[in-house]
């Protein structure tokens, strides 16, 4: 399965779109050494990008003609991450102008 838009940064990270339908999305990610921080675990920015992509794809799965731009995103890191990783996004609610998602 392919992403519906050209996203160079996502392609550079090596994300693979597994599924995107009915307000749900799954993306797989095998981080490399270049994606790790000085503690040799996946950099938080790479993890946030994974979550962001999962949520935007979940939102777009029900309205592909509408774009999805992140206006706010919050997370709490509970422990360090190492690959392989699986991200899952879910559309919680969609209005005419906003999509509320979780990942």
């Amino acid at each position: 399965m392919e992403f519906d838009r050209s996203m160079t940064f996502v392609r550079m990270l090596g994300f693979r779109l597994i599924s995107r339908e009915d307000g749900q999305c799954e993306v797989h990610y095998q981080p490399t050494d270049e994606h790790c921080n000085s503690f040799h675990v996946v950099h938080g920015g790479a993890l946030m990008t994974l979550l962001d992509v999962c949520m935007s794809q979940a939102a777009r799965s029900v309205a592909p003609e509408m774009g999805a731009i992140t206006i706010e995103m919050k997370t709490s890191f509970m422990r360090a991450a190492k690959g392989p990783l699986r991200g899952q996004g879910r559309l919680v609610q969609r209005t005419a102008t906003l999509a509320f998602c979780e990942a």
Side-chain angles (χ1 to χ4, degrees):
M1 178 171 251
E2 297 290 325
F3 290 101
D4 58 352
R5 303 274 175 146
S6 175
M7 297 181 285
T8 305
F9 186 56
V10 169
R11 191 172 52 252
M12 184 194 74
L13 288 169
F15 291 0
R16 290 187 311 116
L17 181 62
I18 302 304
S19 64
R20 176 188 56 220
E21 62 185 354
D22 301 325
Q24 307 277 329
C25 175
E26 183 171 328
V27 175
H28 290 185
Y29 172 38
Q30 178 62 60
T32 64
D33 290 341
E34 291 82 12
H35 306 155
C36 293
N37 62 24
S38 60
F39 296 105
H40 307 289
V41 296
V42 182
H43 189 281
L47 293 172
M48 291 295 284
T49 301
L50 176 62
L51 297 172
D52 189 43
V53 168
C54 288
M55 290 185 287
S56 70
Q57 293 298 304
R60 290 181 58 81
S61 73
V62 299
E65 70 285 354
M66 294 181 69
I69 298 172
T70 304
I71 59 169
E72 182 178 47
M73 189 171 164
K74 300 174 188 176
T75 193
S76 296
F77 295 107
M78 305 304 287
R79 63 181 173 157
K82 294 187 177 190
L85 300 173
R86 179 181 70 177
Q88 295 178 302
R90 183 174 78 87
L91 176 64
V92 176
Q93 180 181 355
R94 180 134 208 168
T95 69
T97 58
L98 296 172
F100 298 89
C101 302
E102 61 186 11

